[in-house]
PDB file of all heavy atoms in Angstrom:
ATOM      1  N   LEU A   1     -42.150  -2.471 -34.011  1.00 97.00           N
ATOM      2  CA  LEU A   1     -41.901  -3.662 -34.837  1.00 97.00           C
ATOM      3  C   LEU A   1     -42.033  -4.978 -34.113  1.00 97.00           C
ATOM      4  O   LEU A   1     -42.543  -5.974 -34.685  1.00 97.00           O
ATOM      5  CB  LEU A   1     -40.473  -3.539 -35.483  1.00 97.00           C
ATOM      6  CG  LEU A   1     -40.375  -2.420 -36.519  1.00 97.00           C
ATOM      7  CD1 LEU A   1     -38.913  -2.217 -36.876  1.00 97.00           C
ATOM      8  CD2 LEU A   1     -41.208  -2.634 -37.764  1.00 97.00           C
ATOM      9  N   THR A   2     -41.618  -5.058 -32.901  1.00 97.00           N
ATOM     10  CA  THR A   2     -41.643  -6.245 -32.150  1.00 97.00           C
ATOM     11  C   THR A   2     -43.198  -6.657 -31.912  1.00 97.00           C
ATOM     12  O   THR A   2     -43.499  -7.819 -31.744  1.00 97.00           O
ATOM     13  CB  THR A   2     -40.925  -6.271 -30.809  1.00 97.00           C
ATOM     14  OG1 THR A   2     -41.354  -5.142 -30.029  1.00 97.00           O
ATOM     15  CG2 THR A   2     -39.404  -6.233 -31.037  1.00 97.00           C
ATOM     16  N   ALA A   3     -44.063  -5.597 -31.855  1.00 97.00           N
ATOM     17  CA  ALA A   3     -45.451  -5.901 -31.767  1.00 97.00           C
ATOM     18  C   ALA A   3     -46.006  -6.724 -32.886  1.00 97.00           C
ATOM     19  O   ALA A   3     -47.055  -7.351 -32.754  1.00 97.00           O
ATOM     20  CB  ALA A   3     -46.197  -4.574 -31.532  1.00 97.00           C
ATOM     21  N   ILE A   4     -45.383  -6.599 -34.040  1.00 97.00           N
ATOM     22  CA  ILE A   4     -45.857  -7.379 -35.259  1.00 97.00           C
ATOM     23  C   ILE A   4     -44.782  -8.321 -35.713  1.00 97.00           C
ATOM     24  O   ILE A   4     -44.697  -8.696 -36.901  1.00 97.00           O
ATOM     25  CB  ILE A   4     -46.235  -6.420 -36.360  1.00 97.00           C
ATOM     26  CG1 ILE A   4     -45.135  -5.544 -36.777  1.00 97.00           C
ATOM     27  CG2 ILE A   4     -47.495  -5.607 -35.984  1.00 97.00           C
ATOM     28  CD1 ILE A   4     -45.363  -4.764 -38.086  1.00 97.00           C
ATOM     29  N   ALA A   5     -43.844  -8.654 -34.816  1.00 97.00           N
ATOM     30  CA  ALA A   5     -42.729  -9.603 -35.175  1.00 97.00           C
ATOM     31  C   ALA A   5     -43.139 -10.905 -35.818  1.00 97.00           C
ATOM     32  O   ALA A   5     -42.433 -11.341 -36.777  1.00 97.00           O
ATOM     33  CB  ALA A   5     -41.850  -9.887 -33.890  1.00 97.00           C
ATOM     34  N   ASP A   6     -44.229 -11.477 -35.436  1.00 97.00           N
ATOM     35  CA  ASP A   6     -44.730 -12.713 -35.996  1.00 97.00           C
ATOM     36  C   ASP A   6     -45.032 -12.554 -37.470  1.00 97.00           C
ATOM     37  O   ASP A   6     -44.789 -13.422 -38.263  1.00 97.00           O
ATOM     38  CB  ASP A   6     -45.905 -13.264 -35.224  1.00 97.00           C
ATOM     39  CG  ASP A   6     -47.058 -12.340 -35.177  1.00 97.00           C
ATOM     40  OD1 ASP A   6     -46.864 -11.076 -35.051  1.00 97.00           O
ATOM     41  OD2 ASP A   6     -48.223 -12.843 -35.163  1.00 97.00           O
ATOM     42  N   ARG A   7     -45.519 -11.405 -37.853  1.00 97.00           N
ATOM     43  CA  ARG A   7     -45.920 -11.126 -39.283  1.00 97.00           C
ATOM     44  C   ARG A   7     -44.617 -10.791 -40.150  1.00 97.00           C
ATOM     45  O   ARG A   7     -44.690 -10.842 -41.288  1.00 97.00           O
ATOM     46  CB  ARG A   7     -46.935 -10.054 -39.377  1.00 97.00           C
ATOM     47  CG  ARG A   7     -48.208 -10.466 -38.707  1.00 97.00           C
ATOM     48  CD  ARG A   7     -49.374  -9.552 -39.004  1.00 97.00           C
ATOM     49  NE  ARG A   7     -49.181  -8.202 -39.003  1.00 97.00           N
ATOM     50  CZ  ARG A   7     -49.890  -7.287 -38.326  1.00 97.00           C
ATOM     51  NH1 ARG A   7     -50.911  -7.679 -37.613  1.00 97.00           N
ATOM     52  NH2 ARG A   7     -49.585  -6.026 -38.415  1.00 97.00           N
ATOM     53  N   LEU A   8     -43.556 -10.388 -39.392  1.00 97.00           N
ATOM     54  CA  LEU A   8     -42.353 -10.011 -40.142  1.00 97.00           C
ATOM     55  C   LEU A   8     -41.392 -11.202 -40.186  1.00 97.00           C
ATOM     56  O   LEU A   8     -40.274 -11.049 -40.846  1.00 97.00           O
ATOM     57  CB  LEU A   8     -41.746  -8.811 -39.474  1.00 97.00           C
ATOM     58  CG  LEU A   8     -42.586  -7.584 -39.421  1.00 97.00           C
ATOM     59  CD1 LEU A   8     -41.853  -6.434 -38.738  1.00 97.00           C
ATOM     60  CD2 LEU A   8     -42.945  -7.168 -40.863  1.00 97.00           C
ATOM     61  N   ALA A   9     -41.608 -12.288 -39.522  1.00 98.00           N
ATOM     62  CA  ALA A   9     -40.703 -13.402 -39.443  1.00 98.00           C
ATOM     63  C   ALA A   9     -40.449 -13.911 -40.918  1.00 98.00           C
ATOM     64  O   ALA A   9     -41.376 -14.094 -41.755  1.00 98.00           O
ATOM     65  CB  ALA A   9     -41.283 -14.598 -38.635  1.00 98.00           C
ATOM     66  N   GLY A  10     -39.133 -14.112 -41.252  1.00 97.00           N
ATOM     67  CA  GLY A  10     -38.761 -14.621 -42.526  1.00 97.00           C
ATOM     68  C   GLY A  10     -38.629 -13.538 -43.600  1.00 97.00           C
ATOM     69  O   GLY A  10     -38.179 -13.829 -44.714  1.00 97.00           O
ATOM     70  N   LYS A  11     -39.074 -12.378 -43.319  1.00 98.00           N
ATOM     71  CA  LYS A  11     -39.065 -11.258 -44.288  1.00 98.00           C
ATOM     72  C   LYS A  11     -37.773 -10.410 -44.197  1.00 98.00           C
ATOM     73  O   LYS A  11     -37.102 -10.391 -43.148  1.00 98.00           O
ATOM     74  CB  LYS A  11     -40.310 -10.303 -44.092  1.00 98.00           C
ATOM     75  CG  LYS A  11     -41.601 -10.932 -44.448  1.00 98.00           C
ATOM     76  CD  LYS A  11     -42.734  -9.955 -44.320  1.00 98.00           C
ATOM     77  CE  LYS A  11     -44.157 -10.416 -44.692  1.00 98.00           C
ATOM     78  NZ  LYS A  11     -44.334 -11.772 -44.903  1.00 98.00           N
ATOM     79  N   THR A  12     -37.526  -9.706 -45.323  1.00 98.00           N
ATOM     80  CA  THR A  12     -36.399  -8.749 -45.270  1.00 98.00           C
ATOM     81  C   THR A  12     -37.051  -7.446 -44.817  1.00 98.00           C
ATOM     82  O   THR A  12     -38.093  -7.002 -45.287  1.00 98.00           O
ATOM     83  CB  THR A  12     -35.889  -8.542 -46.725  1.00 98.00           C
ATOM     84  OG1 THR A  12     -35.273  -9.785 -47.104  1.00 98.00           O
ATOM     85  CG2 THR A  12     -34.839  -7.446 -46.765  1.00 98.00           C
ATOM     86  N   LEU A  13     -36.362  -6.834 -43.886  1.00 98.00           N
ATOM     87  CA  LEU A  13     -36.852  -5.489 -43.342  1.00 98.00           C
ATOM     88  C   LEU A  13     -35.658  -4.540 -43.670  1.00 98.00           C
ATOM     89  O   LEU A  13     -34.545  -4.690 -43.143  1.00 98.00           O
ATOM     90  CB  LEU A  13     -37.092  -5.512 -41.854  1.00 98.00           C
ATOM     91  CG  LEU A  13     -37.607  -4.206 -41.226  1.00 98.00           C
ATOM     92  CD1 LEU A  13     -38.631  -4.522 -40.157  1.00 98.00           C
ATOM     93  CD2 LEU A  13     -36.465  -3.366 -40.619  1.00 98.00           C
ATOM     94  N   ILE A  14     -35.934  -3.543 -44.507  1.00 98.00           N
ATOM     95  CA  ILE A  14     -34.947  -2.486 -44.728  1.00 98.00           C
ATOM     96  C   ILE A  14     -35.268  -1.340 -43.780  1.00 98.00           C
ATOM     97  O   ILE A  14     -36.277  -0.789 -43.820  1.00 98.00           O
ATOM     98  CB  ILE A  14     -35.086  -1.998 -46.234  1.00 98.00           C
ATOM     99  CG1 ILE A  14     -34.829  -3.136 -47.185  1.00 98.00           C
ATOM    100  CG2 ILE A  14     -34.001  -0.915 -46.455  1.00 98.00           C
ATOM    101  CD1 ILE A  14     -35.076  -2.753 -48.638  1.00 98.00           C
ATOM    102  N   ASP A  15     -34.228  -1.050 -42.993  1.00 97.00           N
ATOM    103  CA  ASP A  15     -34.361  -0.085 -41.986  1.00 97.00           C
ATOM    104  C   ASP A  15     -33.617   1.221 -42.404  1.00 97.00           C
ATOM    105  O   ASP A  15     -32.510   1.202 -42.720  1.00 97.00           O
ATOM    106  CB  ASP A  15     -33.689  -0.537 -40.646  1.00 97.00           C
ATOM    107  CG  ASP A  15     -33.699   0.540 -39.536  1.00 97.00           C
ATOM    108  OD1 ASP A  15     -34.798   1.149 -39.341  1.00 97.00           O
ATOM    109  OD2 ASP A  15     -32.699   0.681 -38.951  1.00 97.00           O
ATOM    110  N   TYR A  16     -34.393   2.275 -42.460  1.00 94.00           N
ATOM    111  CA  TYR A  16     -33.795   3.578 -42.751  1.00 94.00           C
ATOM    112  C   TYR A  16     -33.950   4.635 -41.706  1.00 94.00           C
ATOM    113  O   TYR A  16     -33.724   5.799 -41.846  1.00 94.00           O
ATOM    114  CB  TYR A  16     -34.166   4.119 -44.180  1.00 94.00           C
ATOM    115  CG  TYR A  16     -35.573   4.804 -44.244  1.00 94.00           C
ATOM    116  CD1 TYR A  16     -35.726   6.143 -43.954  1.00 94.00           C
ATOM    117  CD2 TYR A  16     -36.648   4.028 -44.575  1.00 94.00           C
ATOM    118  CE1 TYR A  16     -36.958   6.802 -44.012  1.00 94.00           C
ATOM    119  CE2 TYR A  16     -37.938   4.667 -44.667  1.00 94.00           C
ATOM    120  CZ  TYR A  16     -38.042   6.002 -44.368  1.00 94.00           C
ATOM    121  OH  TYR A  16     -39.307   6.624 -44.473  1.00 94.00           O
ATOM    122  N   ALA A  17     -34.374   4.224 -40.508  1.00 93.00           N
ATOM    123  CA  ALA A  17     -34.599   5.079 -39.389  1.00 93.00           C
ATOM    124  C   ALA A  17     -33.330   5.518 -38.806  1.00 93.00           C
ATOM    125  O   ALA A  17     -32.321   4.752 -38.831  1.00 93.00           O
ATOM    126  CB  ALA A  17     -35.521   4.421 -38.376  1.00 93.00           C
ATOM    127  N   VAL A  18     -33.350   6.671 -38.196  1.00 92.00           N
ATOM    128  CA  VAL A  18     -32.197   7.282 -37.502  1.00 92.00           C
ATOM    129  C   VAL A  18     -32.570   7.359 -36.021  1.00 92.00           C
ATOM    130  O   VAL A  18     -33.660   7.746 -35.639  1.00 92.00           O
ATOM    131  CB  VAL A  18     -31.844   8.678 -37.980  1.00 92.00           C
ATOM    132  CG1 VAL A  18     -30.642   9.242 -37.206  1.00 92.00           C
ATOM    133  CG2 VAL A  18     -31.544   8.673 -39.452  1.00 92.00           C
ATOM    134  N   PRO A  19     -31.684   6.838 -35.112  1.00 93.00           N
ATOM    135  CA  PRO A  19     -32.029   6.876 -33.695  1.00 93.00           C
ATOM    136  C   PRO A  19     -31.854   8.152 -32.982  1.00 93.00           C
ATOM    137  O   PRO A  19     -30.956   8.388 -32.145  1.00 93.00           O
ATOM    138  CB  PRO A  19     -31.078   5.769 -33.158  1.00 93.00           C
ATOM    139  CG  PRO A  19     -29.852   5.953 -33.960  1.00 93.00           C
ATOM    140  CD  PRO A  19     -30.348   6.253 -35.354  1.00 93.00           C
ATOM    141  N   PHE A  20     -32.592   9.147 -33.469  1.00 90.00           N
ATOM    142  CA  PHE A  20     -32.571  10.509 -32.884  1.00 90.00           C
ATOM    143  C   PHE A  20     -33.287  10.620 -31.563  1.00 90.00           C
ATOM    144  O   PHE A  20     -34.374  10.016 -31.388  1.00 90.00           O
ATOM    145  CB  PHE A  20     -33.196  11.547 -33.816  1.00 90.00           C
ATOM    146  CG  PHE A  20     -32.274  12.019 -34.940  1.00 90.00           C
ATOM    147  CD1 PHE A  20     -32.818  12.299 -36.190  1.00 90.00           C
ATOM    148  CD2 PHE A  20     -30.973  12.215 -34.726  1.00 90.00           C
ATOM    149  CE1 PHE A  20     -32.034  12.803 -37.224  1.00 90.00           C
ATOM    150  CE2 PHE A  20     -30.127  12.659 -35.774  1.00 90.00           C
ATOM    151  CZ  PHE A  20     -30.717  12.966 -37.037  1.00 90.00           C
ATOM    152  N   VAL A  21     -32.688  11.376 -30.594  1.00 88.00           N
ATOM    153  CA  VAL A  21     -33.354  11.701 -29.368  1.00 88.00           C
ATOM    154  C   VAL A  21     -33.632  13.257 -29.521  1.00 88.00           C
ATOM    155  O   VAL A  21     -32.589  14.056 -29.649  1.00 88.00           O
ATOM    156  CB  VAL A  21     -32.537  11.471 -28.207  1.00 88.00           C
ATOM    157  CG1 VAL A  21     -33.127  11.959 -26.883  1.00 88.00           C
ATOM    158  CG2 VAL A  21     -32.237   9.974 -28.059  1.00 88.00           C
ATOM    159  N   TYR A  22     -34.837  13.582 -29.530  1.00 85.00           N
ATOM    160  CA  TYR A  22     -35.182  15.042 -29.629  1.00 85.00           C
ATOM    161  C   TYR A  22     -35.443  15.676 -28.260  1.00 85.00           C
ATOM    162  O   TYR A  22     -35.642  14.992 -27.304  1.00 85.00           O
ATOM    163  CB  TYR A  22     -36.486  15.186 -30.476  1.00 85.00           C
ATOM    164  CG  TYR A  22     -36.449  14.670 -31.885  1.00 85.00           C
ATOM    165  CD1 TYR A  22     -36.749  13.381 -32.173  1.00 85.00           C
ATOM    166  CD2 TYR A  22     -35.866  15.482 -32.896  1.00 85.00           C
ATOM    167  CE1 TYR A  22     -36.609  12.857 -33.534  1.00 85.00           C
ATOM    168  CE2 TYR A  22     -35.775  15.005 -34.218  1.00 85.00           C
ATOM    169  CZ  TYR A  22     -36.122  13.707 -34.496  1.00 85.00           C
ATOM    170  OH  TYR A  22     -36.014  13.241 -35.712  1.00 85.00           O
ATOM    171  N   GLN A  23     -35.224  16.982 -28.238  1.00 82.00           N
ATOM    172  CA  GLN A  23     -35.449  17.790 -26.992  1.00 82.00           C
ATOM    173  C   GLN A  23     -34.647  17.222 -25.830  1.00 82.00           C
ATOM    174  O   GLN A  23     -35.158  17.069 -24.732  1.00 82.00           O
ATOM    175  CB  GLN A  23     -36.943  17.803 -26.703  1.00 82.00           C
ATOM    176  CG  GLN A  23     -37.748  18.465 -27.790  1.00 82.00           C
ATOM    177  CD  GLN A  23     -39.196  18.355 -27.602  1.00 82.00           C
ATOM    178  OE1 GLN A  23     -39.724  17.562 -26.764  1.00 82.00           O
ATOM    179  NE2 GLN A  23     -39.967  19.188 -28.280  1.00 82.00           N
ATOM    180  N   HIS A  24     -33.339  16.993 -26.098  1.00 84.00           N
ATOM    181  CA  HIS A  24     -32.442  16.554 -25.089  1.00 84.00           C
ATOM    182  C   HIS A  24     -31.691  17.718 -24.481  1.00 84.00           C
ATOM    183  O   HIS A  24     -31.670  18.791 -25.089  1.00 84.00           O
ATOM    184  CB  HIS A  24     -31.476  15.483 -25.682  1.00 84.00           C
ATOM    185  CG  HIS A  24     -30.629  16.142 -26.696  1.00 84.00           C
ATOM    186  ND1 HIS A  24     -29.414  16.648 -26.452  1.00 84.00           N
ATOM    187  CD2 HIS A  24     -30.876  16.239 -28.026  1.00 84.00           C
ATOM    188  CE1 HIS A  24     -28.874  17.133 -27.593  1.00 84.00           C
ATOM    189  NE2 HIS A  24     -29.765  16.857 -28.576  1.00 84.00           N
ATOM    190  N   GLN A  25     -31.088  17.484 -23.320  1.00 87.00           N
ATOM    191  CA  GLN A  25     -30.241  18.444 -22.734  1.00 87.00           C
ATOM    192  C   GLN A  25     -28.833  18.217 -23.105  1.00 87.00           C
ATOM    193  O   GLN A  25     -28.393  17.084 -22.940  1.00 87.00           O
ATOM    194  CB  GLN A  25     -30.412  18.491 -21.223  1.00 87.00           C
ATOM    195  CG  GLN A  25     -31.789  18.893 -20.719  1.00 87.00           C
ATOM    196  CD  GLN A  25     -32.176  20.279 -21.145  1.00 87.00           C
ATOM    197  OE1 GLN A  25     -31.421  21.190 -21.058  1.00 87.00           O
ATOM    198  NE2 GLN A  25     -33.406  20.452 -21.647  1.00 87.00           N
ATOM    199  N   SER A  26     -28.086  19.224 -23.659  1.00 87.00           N
ATOM    200  CA  SER A  26     -26.721  18.966 -24.091  1.00 87.00           C
ATOM    201  C   SER A  26     -25.837  20.066 -23.488  1.00 87.00           C
ATOM    202  O   SER A  26     -26.149  21.228 -23.462  1.00 87.00           O
ATOM    203  CB  SER A  26     -26.694  19.026 -25.626  1.00 87.00           C
ATOM    204  OG  SER A  26     -25.310  18.942 -26.073  1.00 87.00           O
ATOM    205  N   GLU A  27     -24.637  19.696 -23.016  1.00 89.00           N
ATOM    206  CA  GLU A  27     -23.678  20.539 -22.504  1.00 89.00           C
ATOM    207  C   GLU A  27     -23.178  21.539 -23.590  1.00 89.00           C
ATOM    208  O   GLU A  27     -22.928  22.647 -23.369  1.00 89.00           O
ATOM    209  CB  GLU A  27     -22.546  19.785 -21.945  1.00 89.00           C
ATOM    210  CG  GLU A  27     -21.473  20.616 -21.221  1.00 89.00           C
ATOM    211  CD  GLU A  27     -20.333  19.844 -20.544  1.00 89.00           C
ATOM    212  OE1 GLU A  27     -20.548  18.640 -20.385  1.00 89.00           O
ATOM    213  OE2 GLU A  27     -19.329  20.437 -20.228  1.00 89.00           O
ATOM    214  N   HIS A  28     -23.121  20.987 -24.769  1.00 89.00           N
ATOM    215  CA  HIS A  28     -22.598  21.731 -25.910  1.00 89.00           C
ATOM    216  C   HIS A  28     -23.583  21.566 -27.077  1.00 89.00           C
ATOM    217  O   HIS A  28     -23.325  20.847 -28.071  1.00 89.00           O
ATOM    218  CB  HIS A  28     -21.205  21.355 -26.389  1.00 89.00           C
ATOM    219  CG  HIS A  28     -20.199  21.392 -25.253  1.00 89.00           C
ATOM    220  ND1 HIS A  28     -19.710  22.567 -24.777  1.00 89.00           N
ATOM    221  CD2 HIS A  28     -19.664  20.398 -24.577  1.00 89.00           C
ATOM    222  CE1 HIS A  28     -18.831  22.267 -23.794  1.00 89.00           C
ATOM    223  NE2 HIS A  28     -18.794  20.966 -23.641  1.00 89.00           N
ATOM    224  N   PRO A  29     -24.776  22.283 -27.030  1.00 87.00           N
ATOM    225  CA  PRO A  29     -25.798  22.049 -28.097  1.00 87.00           C
ATOM    226  C   PRO A  29     -25.359  22.576 -29.464  1.00 87.00           C
ATOM    227  O   PRO A  29     -24.510  23.389 -29.537  1.00 87.00           O
ATOM    228  CB  PRO A  29     -26.922  22.857 -27.537  1.00 87.00           C
ATOM    229  CG  PRO A  29     -26.407  23.887 -26.638  1.00 87.00           C
ATOM    230  CD  PRO A  29     -25.169  23.253 -26.055  1.00 87.00           C
ATOM    231  N   TRP A  30     -25.893  21.939 -30.433  1.00 85.00           N
ATOM    232  CA  TRP A  30     -25.609  22.206 -31.854  1.00 85.00           C
ATOM    233  C   TRP A  30     -26.914  22.906 -32.347  1.00 85.00           C
ATOM    234  O   TRP A  30     -27.881  22.325 -32.633  1.00 85.00           O
ATOM    235  CB  TRP A  30     -25.324  21.032 -32.682  1.00 85.00           C
ATOM    236  CG  TRP A  30     -25.083  21.191 -34.114  1.00 85.00           C
ATOM    237  CD1 TRP A  30     -25.048  22.347 -34.885  1.00 85.00           C
ATOM    238  CD2 TRP A  30     -24.768  20.159 -34.990  1.00 85.00           C
ATOM    239  NE1 TRP A  30     -24.781  22.066 -36.128  1.00 85.00           N
ATOM    240  CE2 TRP A  30     -24.601  20.728 -36.318  1.00 85.00           C
ATOM    241  CE3 TRP A  30     -24.605  18.718 -34.881  1.00 85.00           C
ATOM    242  CZ2 TRP A  30     -24.280  19.962 -37.434  1.00 85.00           C
ATOM    243  CZ3 TRP A  30     -24.337  18.035 -36.057  1.00 85.00           C
ATOM    244  CH2 TRP A  30     -24.155  18.666 -37.309  1.00 85.00           C
ATOM    245  N   PRO A  31     -26.860  24.309 -32.448  1.00 85.00           N
ATOM    246  CA  PRO A  31     -28.027  25.015 -32.838  1.00 85.00           C
ATOM    247  C   PRO A  31     -28.245  24.820 -34.341  1.00 85.00           C
ATOM    248  O   PRO A  31     -27.303  24.768 -35.101  1.00 85.00           O
ATOM    249  CB  PRO A  31     -27.751  26.505 -32.536  1.00 85.00           C
ATOM    250  CG  PRO A  31     -26.291  26.545 -32.314  1.00 85.00           C
ATOM    251  CD  PRO A  31     -25.766  25.224 -32.047  1.00 85.00           C
ATOM    252  N   THR A  32     -29.492  24.680 -34.767  1.00 81.00           N
ATOM    253  CA  THR A  32     -29.917  24.498 -36.157  1.00 81.00           C
ATOM    254  C   THR A  32     -31.024  25.476 -36.409  1.00 81.00           C
ATOM    255  O   THR A  32     -31.617  26.031 -35.531  1.00 81.00           O
ATOM    256  CB  THR A  32     -30.370  23.092 -36.428  1.00 81.00           C
ATOM    257  OG1 THR A  32     -31.601  22.848 -35.798  1.00 81.00           O
ATOM    258  CG2 THR A  32     -29.305  22.050 -35.915  1.00 81.00           C
ATOM    259  N   PRO A  33     -31.399  25.706 -37.645  1.00 79.00           N
ATOM    260  CA  PRO A  33     -32.599  26.511 -38.012  1.00 79.00           C
ATOM    261  C   PRO A  33     -33.885  26.068 -37.312  1.00 79.00           C
ATOM    262  O   PRO A  33     -34.820  26.850 -37.141  1.00 79.00           O
ATOM    263  CB  PRO A  33     -32.659  26.459 -39.519  1.00 79.00           C
ATOM    264  CG  PRO A  33     -31.250  26.089 -39.979  1.00 79.00           C
ATOM    265  CD  PRO A  33     -30.743  25.168 -38.894  1.00 79.00           C
ATOM    266  N   TRP A  34     -33.982  24.758 -36.929  1.00 77.00           N
ATOM    267  CA  TRP A  34     -35.291  24.359 -36.314  1.00 77.00           C
ATOM    268  C   TRP A  34     -35.098  24.066 -34.855  1.00 77.00           C
ATOM    269  O   TRP A  34     -35.985  23.569 -34.156  1.00 77.00           O
ATOM    270  CB  TRP A  34     -35.744  23.041 -37.016  1.00 77.00           C
ATOM    271  CG  TRP A  34     -34.772  21.934 -36.922  1.00 77.00           C
ATOM    272  CD1 TRP A  34     -34.655  21.023 -35.888  1.00 77.00           C
ATOM    273  CD2 TRP A  34     -33.797  21.508 -37.894  1.00 77.00           C
ATOM    274  NE1 TRP A  34     -33.684  20.079 -36.167  1.00 77.00           N
ATOM    275  CE2 TRP A  34     -33.150  20.398 -37.309  1.00 77.00           C
ATOM    276  CE3 TRP A  34     -33.452  22.023 -39.133  1.00 77.00           C
ATOM    277  CZ2 TRP A  34     -32.102  19.779 -38.023  1.00 77.00           C
ATOM    278  CZ3 TRP A  34     -32.365  21.372 -39.726  1.00 77.00           C
ATOM    279  CH2 TRP A  34     -31.722  20.242 -39.247  1.00 77.00           C
ATOM    280  N   GLY A  35     -34.014  24.373 -34.225  1.00 83.00           N
ATOM    281  CA  GLY A  35     -33.813  24.160 -32.790  1.00 83.00           C
ATOM    282  C   GLY A  35     -32.432  23.502 -32.632  1.00 83.00           C
ATOM    283  O   GLY A  35     -31.497  23.687 -33.347  1.00 83.00           O
TER     284      GLY A  35
END
């Protein structure tokens, strides 16, 4: 987004992203059907 910040200036940006980190190492992993 910052690469196109000039084109987004003054606009409304609706953010629905989730800040997930995939393939991480966890002391207590939460297993799911997909990993």
Side-chain angles (χ1 to χ4, degrees):
L1 293 168
T2 55
I4 58 168
D6 58 325
R7 295 194 318 234
L8 300 177
K11 292 186 176 14
T12 295
L13 183 142
I14 300 174
D15 175 47
Y16 78 88
V18 179
F20 277 146
V21 175
Y22 297 94
Q23 301 173 343
H24 62 93
Q25 297 297 316
S26 175
E27 184 177 345
H28 305 286
W30 179 358
T32 70
W34 62 84

